[in-house]
Amino acid sequence: MQPGEIGSWVSTFRSMTDGPFQLNLWVPDPAPARDAKREEEVREFLAQWGPDVPAAAGDAVPPDFEAQCDALIVARPPIVSSVMGLFPRVYVERLRQHGISWFAVVSTLSEALEAEAAGADAIVVQGMEAGGHRAAFNPEKAERELVGLFALLPIVVDAVHVPVIATGGVADARGIVAALALGASAVQIGTGYLRCPEAEIHPAWADAIGQSAPEGTLVSRVFSGRPGRSIATRYVIAATGPDAPPPAPYPVQRGLTAPMRREANRDTSVDRLQAWAGQAGRLSRSDPAGEFTRRLWAEAQAMLAA
Ligand SMILES: Cc1cc2nc3c(=O)[nH]c(=O)nc-3n(C[C@H](O)[C@H](O)[C@H](O)COP(=O)(O)O)c2cc1C
């Protein structure tokens, strides 16, 4: 979100509920090195999958991070979380002064230790099963350091002194109970909720999640330039194939794929959609999110009591 959009989103949210909420910020990478020849190859490739891509499409820039940080302070959520990096020390201090807790999302043990040393109040441990972008601080390491939640979670729990929240591949009560047994204080579910009506995702994307096998998703950079796990659609398979040009870095690739992604929203098939999905998509449910949540917790409590 642009900084100006954050306050109005929070006002709308507060007009509908007095429940607690969390706002999440991507910590930006340094500006990418541009390579006109490589971008042209990507544009030519993408023209086989959608409309012609103007050269300027790669100029897309992320929102102003400092202005986003300021907007979060004004919005005063109980919790702010970071992903793909850590907040600067001065900002951690400002959060503390305003009584806002900081949850840091990490994907490795060393990132968890860095987050604790930087003052995180809780650590969200993201296993490589997770749908969407990988939380890795350094995109160059994101594909090499693919650590699964079962190994990562107990090792982080042993190494840090703050509460740990487990995420990645959890989508039913069995996963919740397993994460709690491995030392988590809570779980965070993403893909499991995507088929709930409130998520309002494209029907082809929802169907693909419900039918996906765990091996039917792939981590790639082909949508945004940052590694993320999605359904292995026809586009993803072609764009990661030996004949495809390597994707441009984030956010250039995101800009270059925007025309195709816009057009894909009018498709009936999942082929060109940015269909983020984790490995446990088949466990997702299409019930309303509130019902799904209550059922998950009731089932988990029954399993814990047994
Ligand atoms: C469509 C989608 C968008 C996501 N966007 C973000 C995001 O902006 N920030 C973030 O920290 N995590 C994001 N995530 C990751 C989730 O917070 C969570 O870590 C992940 O979905 C857990 O794995 P699961 O999908 O297997 O449940 C996203 C996940 C999905 C599926």
Side-chain angles (χ1 to χ4, degrees), residues 24 26 83 105 126 129-132 167-170 188-191 194 276 278:
N24 171 262
W26 288 30
V83 66
V105 186
Q126 188 199 59
E129 302 89 338
T167 193
V170 180
Q188 177 175 313
I189 296 175
T191 305
L194 283 182
W276 298 128

Side-chain angles (χ1 to χ4, degrees), residues 27-89:
V27 178
D29 296 325
R34 299 292 296 268
D35 181 335
K37 186 167 174 302
R38 189 167 152 189
E39 288 176 28
E40 194 182 326
E41 286 167 10
V42 174
R43 284 167 45 225
E44 276 171 20
F45 178 82
L46 286 165
Q48 301 165 37
W49 287 89
D52 283 346
V53 183
D59 300 341
V61 286
D64 179 333
F65 180 63
E66 277 186 27
Q68 284 181 314
C69 286
D70 290 343
L72 294 199
I73 298 278
V74 174
R76 287 256 194 144
I79 303 164
V80 158
S81 62
S82 57
V83 66
M84 300 174 189
L86 297 173
F87 288 137
R89 185 198 297 251

